[in-house]
């Protein structure tokens, strides 16, 4: 069975500082990894997926199969990045599993 | 077009009562998911419907939980004999065909069991 671990429940950084939200996974097959974000009073929404290799709102995430990680990074955090971030894994049979989430606070 | 909608937005019930939560997916989306979002527990997968296939019920926490999807569209999540630990936000998501498609989430139903 797949499992997603986000070791940090809370993360606080100052505006302009780099930020890294950690995500580790366990899955015997070939995973598809995602980051979802939930801003205050808004719906959960997709931020990025590893297969797209894209940068969204300055965030990037690289799938490291050797370390089974998919950490989310941004070089210069902004106050509007404050939100709840969830890492998710989709298995070959389309089951989605989410991590417990990390609440990011970017202080002015 | 409208996104995923859920009703009610909030539900307060007494322990032992049954509750029904409704999800209206985006029109044309064949895949529908239910999740539970508990404080400190993150998002917990409950059940997944894909077209006319048998649903994946592997995430349902107990036999008090069940879900139906009528006509391949609207879905109802039913919790029988509610317990206080059932208190959470219940989220529904839909995607066009499941698989590689992006999931779109509803606003959730906040359930409080007293």
């Amino acid at each position: 069975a797949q499992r997603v671990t986000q070791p940090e429940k809370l993360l606080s950084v100052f505006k302009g500082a780099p930020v890294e939200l950690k995500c580790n996974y366990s899955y015997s097959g070939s995973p598809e990894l995602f980051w979802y974000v939930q801003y205050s009073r808004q719906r959960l929404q997709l931020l990025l997926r590893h297969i797209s290799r894209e940068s969204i709102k300055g965030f990037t995430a690289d799938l490291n199969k050797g370390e089974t990680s998919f950490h989310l990074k941004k070089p210069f955090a902004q106050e509007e990045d404050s939100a709840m971030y969830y890492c998710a894994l989709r298995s070959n049979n389309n089951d989605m599993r989410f991590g417990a989430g990390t609440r990011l606070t970017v202080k002015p | 077009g409208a996104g995923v909608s859920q009703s009610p937005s909030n539900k307060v019930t007494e322990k032992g009562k049954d509750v029904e939560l409704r999800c209206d997916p985006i029109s044309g989306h064949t895949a529908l998911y239910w999740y539970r979002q508990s404080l400190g527990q993150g998002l917990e997968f409950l059940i997944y419907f894909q077209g006319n296939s048998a649903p994946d019920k592997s995430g349902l926490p107990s036999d008090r939980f069940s879900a139906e999807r009528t006509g391949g569209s609207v879905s109802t999540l039913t919790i029988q004999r509610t317990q206080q630990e059932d208190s959470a936000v219940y989220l529904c998501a839909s995607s066009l065909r499941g698989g590689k498609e992006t999931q779109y989430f509803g606003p959730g139903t906040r359930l409080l069991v007293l």
Side-chain angles (χ1 to χ4, degrees):
Chain A
Q2 64 264 44
R3 186 180 181 88
V4 179
T5 303
Q6 293 180 249
E8 304 142 327
K9 287 192 174 181
L10 301 171
L11 185 61
S12 182
V13 300
F14 284 102
K15 175 183 173 181
V19 62
E20 181 180 56
L21 293 89
K22 291 183 169 51
C23 173
N24 289 89
Y25 68 91
S26 63
Y27 179 56
S28 57
S30 181
E32 186 175 359
L33 277 297
F34 304 81
W35 277 98
Y36 279 79
V37 61
Q38 189 168 27
Y39 300 103
S40 179
R41 300 186 189 87
Q42 293 188 28
R43 302 183 183 199
L44 193 63
Q45 59 186 288
L46 178 67
L47 180 62
L48 55 80
R49 57 174 69 184
H50 90 269
I51 59 172
S52 300
R53 293 184 163 276
E54 58 201 344
S55 173
I56 304 294
K57 299 184 179 181
F59 284 97
T60 58
D62 291 319
L63 177 61
N64 186 324
K65 292 188 177 181
E67 296 182 356
T68 60
S69 69
F70 188 57
H71 304 326
L72 183 68
K73 301 177 184 179
K74 184 169 183 176
F76 308 103
Q78 302 300 313
E79 289 181 66
E80 56 265 29
D81 296 328
S82 296
M84 193 74 177
Y85 291 80
Y86 292 95
C87 183
L89 182 152
R90 178 154 60 200
S91 66
N92 293 337
N93 62 355
N94 297 325
D95 278 351
M96 279 288 271
R97 295 291 184 270
F98 286 78
T102 297
R103 182 169 297 281
L104 173 66
T105 301
V106 181
K107 297 179 286 188
Chain B
V4 177
S5 61
Q6 292 184 247
S7 61
S9 54
N10 291 280
K11 177 71 176 179
V12 181
T13 190
E14 294 178 348
K15 177 181 172 181
K17 295 282 180 68
D18 297 352
V19 294
E20 284 191 352
L21 312 180
R22 177 186 168 108
C23 172
D24 283 87
I26 293 173
S27 178
H29 280 195
T30 63
L32 188 148
Y33 306 77
W34 281 100
Y35 298 92
R36 180 166 66 177
Q37 188 177 32
S38 305
L39 191 62
Q41 298 296 320
L43 276 171
E44 178 186 5
F45 165 78
L46 297 178
I47 189 169
Y48 163 48
F49 295 90
Q50 173 54 59
N52 296 321
S53 302
D56 176 356
K57 302 180 182 180
S58 60
L60 295 178
S62 77
D63 58 8
R64 296 187 295 105
F65 288 72
S66 62
E68 290 185 343
R69 189 175 185 195
T70 54
S73 181
V74 172
S75 178
T76 302
L77 177 69
T78 301
I79 309 174
Q80 295 178 309
R81 305 180 301 281
T82 53
Q83 304 293 314
Q84 288 183 333
E85 59 263 30
D86 298 335
S87 297
V89 176
Y90 289 82
L91 291 173
C92 176
S94 71
S95 66
L96 189 58
R97 286 183 292 270
K100 306 295 185 186
E101 302 291 332
T102 298
Q103 292 187 25
Y104 295 88
F105 281 82
T109 293
R110 186 175 298 276
L111 175 66
L112 177 61
V113 182
L114 301 176

